[in-house]
Amino acid sequence: KHPMYYQLCKTTADYAVTFAKSLMLSEKEVNDIYYASLFSLIGTLKEPNISIKEQSKLIVENGYHLLKQVPGFRDVADIVLSIFERADGKGTPRGLTNDEIPKAAKIIRIAFDFTSTKNRTTLTCQQVIELLQSDVGVVYDKNLFSYFRLLEEEKAKHETV
């Protein structure tokens, strides 16, 4: 599973960094998003047969405890801990609501779900966006998701030209 998870995290990091840069976030914020994306599933290393969908709380808690010990990664650890929170407060591990979730974690969550859905289905990028749209305000921040959607639509226009 780990090579598959690494590729998922790497692709998520690419999307999240592009998204963060388009929002004109600071270099530190972009770097934190990159590393938090890349290490978002590092918690799976402690549990080799873990399921992301069913055990996301354990994954992010394990990742948080590993990363907070790395000098200079405290902010990255905090972001990783918040990746599976939801706008409606029914996320994990702390049940944070939209306003309490760090922006970096919201960005990564959108990129992560987009990437993982795209990788496990035959849907087009636009179809994945449509599928995820139903969770806006429930899982995803409304404004950030709308902006991500615009970015993907612009990207699609340029790819068809």
Side-chain angles (χ1 to χ4, degrees), residues 67-79:
L67 292 169
K68 75 177 184 178
Q69 297 174 40
V70 178
F73 266 51
R74 181 58 192 221
D75 291 341
V76 171
D78 290 336
I79 295 166

Side-chain angles (χ1 to χ4, degrees), residues 19-52:
F19 189 13
K21 286 180 177 179
S22 74
L23 291 167
M24 296 188 207
L25 298 184
S26 72
E27 184 176 347
K28 182 194 182 317
E29 290 171 304
V30 171
N31 286 336
D32 285 351
I33 286 170
Y34 173 75
Y35 288 114
S37 298
L38 205 56
F39 296 121
S40 60
L41 298 179
I42 196 169
T44 62
L45 295 177
K46 290 180 95 175
E47 311 283 338
N49 296 317
I50 203 162
S51 163
I52 297 171

Side-chain angles (χ1 to χ4, degrees), residues 1-19 21 30-31 33-42 52 83 107-108 111-116 118-119 155:
K1 277 188 174 179
H2 298 301
M4 179 182 70
Y5 285 169
Y6 171 76
Q7 188 55 50
L8 173 60
C9 292
K10 176 69 176 102
T11 305
T12 296
D14 293 342
Y15 273 102
V17 164
T18 300
F19 189 13
K21 286 180 177 179
V30 171
N31 286 336
I33 286 170
Y34 173 75
Y35 288 114
S37 298
L38 205 56
F39 296 121
S40 60
L41 298 179
I42 196 169
I52 297 171
I83 288 172
I107 289 168
I108 294 168
F112 183 89
D113 287 358
F114 177 81
T115 301
S116 63
K118 202 168 139 239
N119 287 353
K155 184 176 158 188

Side-chain angles (χ1 to χ4, degrees), residues 125-126 151-161:
C125 291
Q126 190 58 41
L151 287 176
E152 284 305 305
E153 288 171 354
E154 283 299 312
K155 184 176 158 188
K157 284 180 192 174
H158 288 100
E159 288 174 354
T160 58
V161 174

Side-chain angles (χ1 to χ4, degrees), residues 1 4-5 8 40-41 44 49-60 84 86 90-92 109 112-113 116-117 120-121 131-132 135 139-140:
K1 277 188 174 179
M4 179 182 70
Y5 285 169
L8 173 60
S40 60
L41 298 179
T44 62
N49 296 317
I50 203 162
S51 163
I52 297 171
K53 189 172 187 164
E54 295 168 10
Q55 297 169 296
S56 58
K57 180 179 189 225
L58 182 59
I59 292 169
V60 295
F84 293 111
R86 294 171 35 140
K90 295 180 182 174
T92 189
R109 177 64 184 265
F112 183 89
D113 287 358
S116 63
T117 303
R120 71 176 191 276
T121 67
L131 181 67
L132 299 180
D135 284 329
V139 175
Y140 313 113

